[in-house]
Amino acid sequence: MLHLRLIVPDDRTDEVLRLLETTVGVTHLVVLSGAARDPRGDVVMCDVAREAADGLLAGLRAMELDRTGSIALENIDLSLSRRADRAADDAPGEGADAVLWESLSDATHEESTLSATYLAFLTVATMIAACGVVLDNAVLIVGAMAVGPEFGPLAGICTALVQRAPRLAWRSLQALLVGFAVAMAVTVGFSLFMDAVGLFHVEALEAARPNTNFIYRPDWFSFVVAVLAGTAGVLSLTSAKSGALVGVAISVTTVPAAANAAVALGYQEYGQAWHSMEQLLLNLAGIVLAGTLTLTAQKLLWARQGTGLRAP
């Protein structure tokens, strides 16, 4: 269940209440007349089944309540109520399958912003992966994968394509391209510094590297894994099972490929750098393709569940 808190202009309260009372899956309705001070209005609260929330939010936004008042939605960790159980049973579909598009758009907007924190995480992850490349250390490679924040912009691109949101698409693409460009440039300088102090050696890059040579050897398995990871990543976002994102992060060779390319460029090993970039682009394409198809399938599936309105 989700908890919905609204601030409603007093002249729109009846209209909002009609929508809430006719929406299947809504329960525990509370109205506090004149309780809101900024903005002024009535406070309306209720609990809503997850599978009914997206249609309800769309209706509230159609009333422009996000402009004239306020809409806040949060998860309920525990709800001991027969009414809540009945509301969840009455709502069409299953809560685990429901996609809250407003929540997804908001989350991907935040995660796909080109911020200093995003750049720092991506750069540090790429430098960790560079150490793993030179040392042929799979543990460092996995650690770098887990630290990298690149799935946020990738999910943003998928969401933007399905929702036809060009601004989100541009913001996500900018974060992805600028982020990797900055991270790789810094990692090139980092590699040259490590070489100057005797910690990196070109011989290590040219060695067989049985634990990490897959990074610059893209094949169909790279694409297949990226597709599977993209599907799992989007499902974890839409179902609020964020723990699965860690598994997604360590399944794809994005940050390690960028790191290997950066180290190879520092040593002027252009062939290995090119193949690493191929690995990077192959993984990015697989994730975006799978994520977009997954969101499209979810949107079509959920469209068949009904309107979520109670029969008159």
Side-chain angles (χ1 to χ4, degrees):
M1 295 292 289
L2 302 170
H3 181 67
L4 180 66
R5 186 185 72 250
L6 309 173
I7 296 178
V8 185
D10 52 14
D11 60 335
R12 305 294 300 277
T13 301
D14 290 341
E15 182 183 3
V16 169
L17 290 177
R18 279 195 297 272
L19 174 63
L20 295 176
E21 290 170 347
T22 55
T23 299
V24 175
V26 173
T27 188
H28 302 154
L29 183 59
V30 177
V31 180
L32 303 176
S33 299
R37 290 294 179 266
D38 184 21
R40 288 190 174 275
D42 301 331
V43 175
V44 178
M45 296 181 289
C46 65
D47 295 340
V48 55
R50 180 181 174 86
E51 52 268 43
D54 191 64
L56 180 58
L57 288 176
L60 293 171
R61 292 200 66 180
M63 296 179 183
E64 297 188 341
L65 194 60
D66 53 326
R67 296 185 179 184
T68 60
S70 171
I71 304 173
L73 191 67
E74 58 186 358
N75 285 305
I76 298 176
D77 294 329
L78 178 64
S79 179
L80 302 178
S81 167
R82 291 185 179 180
R83 286 182 174 273
D85 295 339
R86 187 162 57 248
D89 291 338
D90 291 343
E94 295 293 334
D97 297 332
V99 180
L100 299 180
W101 291 102
E102 294 292 343
S103 177
L104 181 62
S105 298
D106 184 68
T108 52
H109 177 278
E110 181 179 351
E111 294 295 327
S112 62
T113 301
L114 185 61
S115 63
T117 301
Y118 169 81
L119 288 175
F121 269 113
L122 188 56
T123 301
V124 169
T126 307
M127 290 192 291
I128 293 173
C131 295
V133 163
V134 174
L135 296 174
D136 192 32
N137 189 317
V139 174
L140 290 176
I141 295 297
V142 171
M145 290 175 175
V147 172
E150 73 280 5
F151 191 79
L154 290 170
I157 292 174
C158 298
T159 304
L161 291 175
V162 175
Q163 292 291 86
R164 299 179 181 179
R167 291 185 178 180
L168 177 59
W170 169 245
R171 183 185 299 108
S172 302
L173 185 61
Q174 185 181 42
L176 201 64
L177 296 179
V178 175
F180 271 113
V182 170
M184 290 176 65
V186 173
T187 303
V188 169
F190 172 72
S191 300
L192 294 175
F193 170 77
M194 294 291 279
D195 179 79
V197 298
L199 294 177
F200 278 12
H201 306 282
V202 67
E203 292 80 9
L205 189 70
E206 296 172 342
R209 290 164 50 196
N211 294 320
T212 58
N213 60 23
F214 68 92
I215 294 173
Y216 58 90
R217 293 180 179 177
D219 54 24
W220 280 109
F221 278 107
S222 302
F223 183 74
V224 169
V225 171
V227 167
L228 296 175
T231 302
V234 166
L235 288 175
S236 71
L237 287 177
T238 57
S239 63
K241 297 184 181 295
S242 58
L245 281 176
V246 177
V248 172
I250 61 177
S251 299
V252 292
T253 317
T254 48
V255 167
N260 199 85
V263 176
L265 285 173
Y267 283 123
Q268 299 181 355
E269 294 284 342
Y270 299 120
Q272 193 172 140
W274 171 250
H275 292 308
S276 299
M277 290 301 298
E278 286 182 330
Q279 179 76 277
L280 173 61
L281 294 175
L282 192 64
N283 275 267
L284 295 178
I287 293 172
V288 171
L289 175 63
T292 303
L293 291 177
T294 301
L295 284 176
T296 301
Q298 289 180 293
K299 189 173 185 178
L300 293 175
L301 176 65
W302 200 251
R304 298 181 178 181
Q305 298 297 332
T307 61
L309 296 178
R310 290 190 175 95

